[in-house]
Amino acid sequence: GTVVNRPPIKQYQRPTRARAGDKIAGGKIIKVEPHPIPEHSRPRRVQGRIALVGDAAGYVTKCSGEGIYFAAKSGRMAAEEIVALMKGGSRLPTQAEIEDTYCKKYDGLYGPTYTVLDILQKVFYTNNGAREAFVELCNSKYVQQVTFDSYLYKRVQGNNPLDDIKLLGETIGCMVKGYSTAKPDAEFSNPVESLKRI
């Protein structure tokens, strides 16, 4: 969104500022601070009877940054588990019970997806050679099908051992070719834009 199309951000904010009008008149900005979206599950997602879900829990997929599905799914899973633990409102669940139900079930369903995406990011998003290899690898029909199915069903798909072995060989070949033909990464420094964000 607005990071890419930064200049008109004030235009996007104008209707909100107009509605707030009198409530913010005379106010001053104390600090502008962006917050990165976490790409790893939080080490502690339950504290007492409070359970984190969605972005707060770190349920954002690497590579794509998708989080809407996982926010809704984790919210629903947490609510269902807590309601079941309450046994019709007759008791309050403990932290350990919430961790043993909601967190354990969520991790069982989606943990492998996060692991695979973490590996993909570490292997293919590190430099130009690796990115070139990834682009070439995406020509594979098997990669396209596994990617589409995994995105559609929100879990790692594929699992065809023969095709997976072929994919490993193709990956190694693409990496060798990518590293041998790609230009080195350029030094990145943008102090003007960095100063605008302060």
Side-chain angles (χ1 to χ4, degrees):
T2 57
V3 172
V4 174
N5 197 11
R6 188 175 168 80
I9 193 165
K10 294 224 186 292
Q11 173 190 344
Y12 301 146
Q13 294 173 341
R14 197 172 296 128
T16 304
R17 291 176 187 275
R19 282 194 307 275
D22 297 337
K23 296 177 185 117
I24 62 171
K28 67 176 188 170
I29 296 173
I30 298 169
K31 186 175 186 182
V32 175
E33 182 177 5
H35 181 73
I37 297 173
E39 293 182 328
H40 297 284
S41 293
R42 296 287 189 203
R44 185 170 51 188
R45 292 169 280 166
V46 180
Q47 178 64 44
R49 292 189 317 270
I50 299 169
L52 297 178
V53 299
D55 289 359
Y59 298 152
V60 177
T61 59
K62 294 202 175 239
C63 304
S64 71
E66 182 193 354
I68 297 295
Y69 172 85
F70 298 102
K73 184 67 173 180
S74 62
R76 183 176 185 144
M77 286 178 76
E80 289 173 349
E81 295 302 328
I82 291 169
V83 166
L85 289 167
M86 291 176 68
K87 299 187 192 285
S90 64
R91 61 182 298 276
L92 293 174
T94 66
Q95 178 175 331
E97 289 174 324
I98 297 170
E99 289 170 340
D100 287 342
T101 55
Y102 155 59
C103 292
K104 197 171 278 186
K105 286 182 181 179
Y106 188 89
D107 292 346
L109 277 173
Y110 301 108
T113 300
Y114 291 111
T115 300
V116 167
L117 292 174
D118 189 41
I119 291 167
L120 282 175
Q121 187 173 29
K122 286 176 179 167
V123 171
F124 291 112
Y125 286 31
T126 54
N127 59 55
N128 284 338
R131 286 186 286 274
E132 289 295 328
F134 187 65
V135 168
E136 184 173 335
L137 203 55
C138 288
N139 285 325
S140 161
K141 293 279 187 209
Y142 182 64
V143 169
Q144 292 171 17
Q145 188 65 54
V146 168
T147 302
F148 179 80
D149 290 346
S150 298
Y151 185 80
L152 182 65
Y153 299 112
K154 308 303 182 205
R155 292 191 214 148
V156 178
Q157 303 293 311
N159 303 324
N160 179 333
L162 187 57
D163 284 337
D164 288 342
I165 290 170
K166 281 176 46 183
L167 179 59
L168 177 61
E170 289 173 13
T171 302
I172 292 168
C174 289
M175 293 292 279
V176 169
K177 183 178 176 185
Y179 275 95
S180 66
T181 60
K183 294 178 183 174
D185 288 354
E187 179 83 20
F188 179 77
S189 176
N190 191 348
V192 174
E193 183 65 21
S194 297
L195 289 173
K196 286 182 193 176
R197 294 171 187 255
I198 295 178

